[in-house]
């Protein structure tokens, strides 16, 4: 029977699936005779992946155990949807027939381009970035375009959901001042970078 490798989009996996994938890889790699593991970069990658996978699983367990953390995840998802809604509205206006509407959308799109990856940032960095975006959208340079495209409701949604997230996150930080808190989003991002570098390294060495 012929075996066929299927491509994997790591970013599409849930945190739990990503953690399980790395754990499975590490378990398989652990079966290699230690006397053969003489490649320093390889060993370093395996060690880093193991550390990040352990942190991610701790973060997942913390999410499961903490009702406050569940609220944070929901609040973060709400503001991520607000960002997506703003971006979708811009795209619709950019596809309009009216030239003035298109130009306004183009101008706002240039500004938004600096923030398009905001949802990939860690919690606190995303909070700061959304605040900055909202502040810029409400300046004289952009408020006319926002009003012209009737997009103030999207800006208000960004502001409201971000303020809600910050309030919940701040309260959790107060309640857990003496407890180690794990940022699953940041840990996942760092683990993904290490995993990608590791795969590329192994592929390069195989050639």
């Amino acid at each position: 029977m012929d075996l066929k490798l299927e491509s994997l989009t790591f970013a599409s996996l849930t945190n739990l699936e990503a953690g399980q994938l790395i754990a499975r890889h590490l378990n398989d790699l652990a079966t290699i005779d230690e006397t053969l593991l003489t490649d320093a970069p390889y060993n370093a990658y395996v060690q880093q992946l193991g550390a990040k996978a352990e942190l991610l699983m701790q973060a997942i367990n913390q999410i499961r155990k903490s009702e406050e953390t569940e609220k944070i995840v929901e609040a973060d998802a709400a503001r991520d949807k607000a960002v997506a809604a703003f971006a979708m509205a811009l795209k619709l206006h950019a596809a309009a027939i009216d030239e003035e509407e298109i130009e306004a959308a183009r101008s706002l799109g240039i500004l938004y381009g600096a923030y398009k990856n905001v949802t990939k940032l860690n919690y606190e960095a995303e909070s700061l970035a959304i605040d900055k975006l909202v502040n810029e959208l409400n300046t004289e340079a952009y408020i006319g375009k926002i009003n012209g495209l009737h997009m103030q409701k999207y800006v208000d949604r960004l502001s409201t959901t971000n303020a809600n997230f910050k309030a919940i996150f701040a309260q959790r930080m107060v309640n857990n001042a003496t407890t180690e808190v794990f940022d699953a989003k940041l840990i996942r991002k760092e683990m993904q970078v290490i995993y990608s570098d590791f795969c590329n390294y192994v592929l390069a060495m195989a050639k």
Side-chain angles (χ1 to χ4, degrees):
M1 181 178 68
D2 293 333
L3 297 178
K4 180 181 179 181
L5 292 176
E6 296 290 341
S7 60
L8 171 67
T9 303
F10 191 91
S12 66
L13 301 178
T14 64
N15 285 341
L16 181 59
E17 290 171 338
Q20 291 174 334
L21 173 67
I22 299 301
R24 177 60 184 270
H25 283 333
L26 293 174
N27 287 336
D28 289 343
L29 294 174
T31 62
I32 299 176
D33 188 341
E34 291 186 4
T35 60
L36 301 177
L37 302 178
T38 59
D39 187 275
Y42 171 93
N43 292 334
Y45 278 125
V46 171
Q47 184 177 9
Q48 291 174 40
L49 276 175
K52 288 299 179 184
E54 183 177 347
L55 284 176
L56 182 61
M57 295 311 295
Q58 290 181 46
I60 292 172
N61 289 332
Q62 188 177 67
I63 290 173
R64 287 173 171 172
K65 294 177 181 178
S66 173
E67 181 180 348
E68 289 179 335
T69 304
E70 183 177 344
K71 291 179 180 178
I72 286 176
V73 171
E74 292 175 352
D76 182 51
R79 65 179 182 174
D80 286 354
K81 288 181 180 178
V83 172
F86 180 83
M88 289 174 62
L90 272 184
K91 287 183 179 180
L92 288 175
H93 287 296
I97 298 176
D98 184 73
E99 289 297 329
E100 189 173 331
E101 183 178 351
I102 294 173
E103 177 56 27
R106 186 194 68 82
S107 178
L108 291 169
I110 292 174
L111 172 62
Y112 174 71
Y115 299 90
K116 64 180 181 179
N117 293 321
V118 65
T119 59
K120 297 180 182 179
L121 299 175
N122 65 58
Y123 289 147
E124 292 172 290
E126 182 174 348
S127 296
L128 292 172
I130 292 178
D131 276 342
K132 186 177 180 182
L133 173 59
V134 170
N135 288 338
E136 291 198 64
L137 290 171
N138 284 320
T139 62
E140 186 177 348
Y142 296 102
I143 192 64
K145 298 178 177 66
I146 288 294
N147 291 334
L149 298 180
H150 305 288
M151 288 186 60
Q152 188 60 48
K153 62 181 180 181
Y154 295 103
V155 178
D156 291 342
R157 182 179 174 185
L158 283 171
S159 180
T160 300
T161 55
N162 197 41
N164 182 55
F165 172 86
K166 290 191 296 180
I168 295 173
F169 189 76
Q171 185 59 48
R172 200 277 292 270
M173 294 301 290
V174 170
N175 294 342
N176 293 345
T178 59
T179 304
E180 186 175 11
V181 178
F182 300 96
D183 188 335
K185 182 182 287 188
L186 177 60
I187 295 170
R188 163 69 179 271
K189 179 180 178 181
E190 293 173 343
M191 186 176 74
Q192 184 171 335
V193 171
I194 296 172
Y195 179 67
S196 178
D197 289 346
F198 177 58
C199 291
N200 289 333
Y201 177 76
V202 172
L203 179 61
M205 293 299 290
K207 293 181 179 179

